[in-house]
Amino acid sequence: MQEHSTLTMAETEDYVFISALNQYSYCPLRCYWMFVEHEYRDNEHTIEGTLGHSRVHTEGQTSRSEVFQLRSAYLYSKRYGICGKADLIEERDGAVYPVEYKKGRLGTWTNDALQLCAQALCLEEVLTQARGTPMEIPQGYIYYASTGRRKAVPLTPALRAQTLETIAAVRELLRTGQRPQVGYAPRCKGCSVHDICLPRETALLQRHNPGEEET
């Protein structure tokens, strides 16, 4: 398994970051603040996640028994116009797959699955080029630090289609720069851009002034 060459700065301007897919699926407005307005603040959740990634994000490769591991691997797909880093790529018995690290507990989170699927799309492209035959990765894994367990995520046709739809949605958001209309939800409380977004206050203003549009 070999890394492919990286994109130039000019090329990445037209690419969607893989991490943006996760943010958009969690909340389109969060994605807007982070990738259009470039506003971001850490909170206890993001700091905990960063600390948890510190080991796996040490760039390099290791090999133990029959498993080859490549950490903090830069990936991109010219076909889909996406780029970003994979926490970990493993190769076992000829099978290559991405592993995404998350701080939370074992669960079913669509946003994490989309991020993992996008990484797999990039890997499939480079493996197809390297091996000269179409390659498809059947599944990836998400490792949850709170439980110390991995969960296999099948890369089904439905998940692949949803990933492509999300790529298109994020690309349109970046193109237009238009702020999404998203209401207040319980998940807003733990969001690191809460104090920038002010979702509850915005929802109240819209409720009292329904005829006014945001500028």
Side-chain angles (χ1 to χ4, degrees):
M1 181 173 59
Q2 298 179 340
E3 292 183 85
H4 51 328
S5 59
T6 58
L7 298 169
T8 66
M9 183 66 71
E11 287 177 313
T12 58
E13 290 181 358
D14 295 326
Y15 276 59
V16 169
F17 285 110
I18 293 174
S19 58
L21 307 181
N22 190 312
Q23 304 301 341
Y24 187 92
S25 177
Y26 182 84
C27 174
L29 192 49
R30 176 176 170 84
C31 184
Y32 166 84
W33 284 114
M34 293 178 64
F35 293 93
V36 176
E37 297 292 347
H38 305 291
E39 293 279 359
Y40 181 78
R41 293 179 184 174
D42 276 315
N43 64 9
E44 66 272 21
H45 302 294
T46 61
I47 293 173
E48 183 181 351
T50 299
L51 292 175
H53 278 75
S54 58
R55 179 182 179 277
V56 71
H57 275 178
T58 300
E59 294 187 6
Q61 59 188 46
T62 59
S63 180
R64 64 175 187 269
S65 64
E66 298 180 354
V67 180
F68 175 85
Q69 296 181 324
L70 181 62
R71 297 186 178 87
S72 193
Y74 182 79
L75 299 172
Y76 70 87
S77 166
K78 289 187 175 181
R79 178 180 181 183
Y80 300 111
I82 54 177
C83 64
K85 277 191 174 183
D87 288 336
L88 181 67
I89 296 173
E90 285 188 348
E91 181 177 12
R92 182 193 296 267
D93 298 328
V96 181
Y97 48 84
V99 181
E100 180 67 16
Y101 276 55
K102 297 299 177 183
K103 73 177 184 67
R105 295 182 178 275
L106 190 68
T108 302
W109 313 107
T110 301
N111 51 322
D112 292 344
L114 292 175
Q115 184 175 2
L116 188 72
C117 186
Q119 294 170 3
L121 292 176
C122 294
L123 279 174
E124 288 174 346
E125 186 171 307
V126 68
L127 290 173
T128 295
Q129 293 173 352
R131 300 181 181 182
T133 182
M135 299 296 299
E136 183 170 299
I137 298 173
Q139 67 181 20
Y141 295 86
I142 298 179
Y143 173 86
Y144 293 95
S146 295
T147 57
R149 295 174 58 191
R150 284 187 180 187
K151 177 180 180 178
V153 178
L155 303 177
T156 63
L159 178 58
R160 290 169 180 269
Q162 188 175 3
T163 301
L164 297 184
E165 291 172 1
T166 306
I167 292 171
V170 173
R171 179 168 286 115
E172 180 66 9
L173 175 65
L174 298 176
R175 184 188 69 82
T176 64
Q178 185 174 349
R179 178 175 172 171
Q181 298 295 318
V182 179
Y184 179 78
R187 67 175 58 184
C188 294
K189 296 179 180 179
C191 180
S192 61
V193 297
H194 177 277
D195 292 342
I196 300 171
C197 182
L198 299 175
R200 185 186 292 275
E201 292 81 356
T202 300
L204 288 173
L205 285 173
Q206 292 175 342
R207 188 180 305 166
H208 291 298
N209 302 280
E212 293 186 8
E213 296 184 357
E214 292 188 49
T215 58

